[in-house]
Amino acid sequence: MSALTPARTVTSTSRLTALTVAVAAAVVIVDQLTKSWAVNALDDHDIDVVWTLRLHLTFNGGMAFSQGRGWGPVISVVALVVVVVLLLSLRKGGSTLSAVAVGLVVGGAAGNVVDRIFRSGSGFLGGEVVDFIDFQWWPVFNVADACIVIGGILLVVTSYFSARTSSSPTS
């Protein structure tokens, strides 16, 4: 039976890696499509959706909450390091939920790095990230940002339950 365990682990790890890559790719595609739409549709006006939610085009050369203006290249390099670390963490296996969570974070980080590479700006990774989802009481954000936050929360939750399961006594 122990001879089958490594094969199952490899198959399971491969399946989880494929799921993570698929989620990340979907996030990048949806993020870039929505940003492209926002740049074209919101260039001269806002769209009120419901309550305080409006679609309002802004460009962010910094990091979260428009802080760190001009630090885009550093933020991009840190994001790429985080992506690599998260992808390497998949080798250890995990749950389907953790694979989805990593995919959300990786896809969100990659979506914003794509903006830094291809959007107008100055220098290495100096492009600005397109933000357009505006609650008017929270900083303006985009699909990639939302996926990073949701994925991060899911990672914390799965880590918590994983730690509780591994530390609980077995009967």
Side-chain angles (χ1 to χ4, degrees):
M1 191 143 146
S2 63
L4 295 177
T5 304
R8 283 188 186 155
T9 303
V10 169
T11 302
S12 177
T13 303
S14 296
R15 183 183 63 79
L16 293 176
T17 301
L19 176 61
T20 298
V21 170
V23 169
V27 168
V28 171
I29 290 167
V30 170
D31 177 61
Q32 290 301 307
L33 287 173
T34 57
K35 287 174 179 174
S36 179
W37 172 84
V39 166
N40 292 317
L42 302 174
D43 62 342
D44 60 350
H45 70 286
D46 296 341
I47 297 175
D48 292 317
V49 179
V50 63
W51 188 45
T52 62
L53 175 62
R54 72 177 176 179
L55 304 177
H56 170 76
L57 182 64
T58 64
F59 296 89
N60 182 355
M63 58 184 166
F65 311 122
S66 294
Q67 299 297 309
R69 205 126 181 96
W71 283 83
V74 173
I75 295 162
S76 297
V77 170
V78 170
L80 291 171
V81 169
V82 168
V83 165
V84 169
V85 168
L86 285 172
L87 291 174
L88 290 174
S89 75
L90 293 174
R91 294 176 145 181
K92 296 178 183 176
S95 67
T96 300
L97 187 57
S98 65
V100 169
V102 170
L104 289 170
V105 173
V106 167
N112 284 338
V113 169
V114 166
D115 277 11
R116 300 226 184 257
I117 293 170
F118 295 109
R119 300 274 176 201
S120 64
S122 59
F124 174 71
L125 296 172
E128 295 183 320
V129 174
V130 174
D131 290 328
F132 62 93
I133 303 168
D134 184 8
F135 283 106
Q136 301 181 59
W137 46 267
W138 189 259
V140 184
F141 62 98
N142 58 46
V143 171
D145 298 334
C147 288
I148 291 168
V149 170
I150 293 166
I153 291 168
L154 288 175
L155 281 173
V156 169
V157 169
T158 58
S159 295
Y160 173 77
F161 285 112
S162 175
R164 286 194 65 186
T165 303
S166 65
S167 67
S168 66
T170 56
S171 8

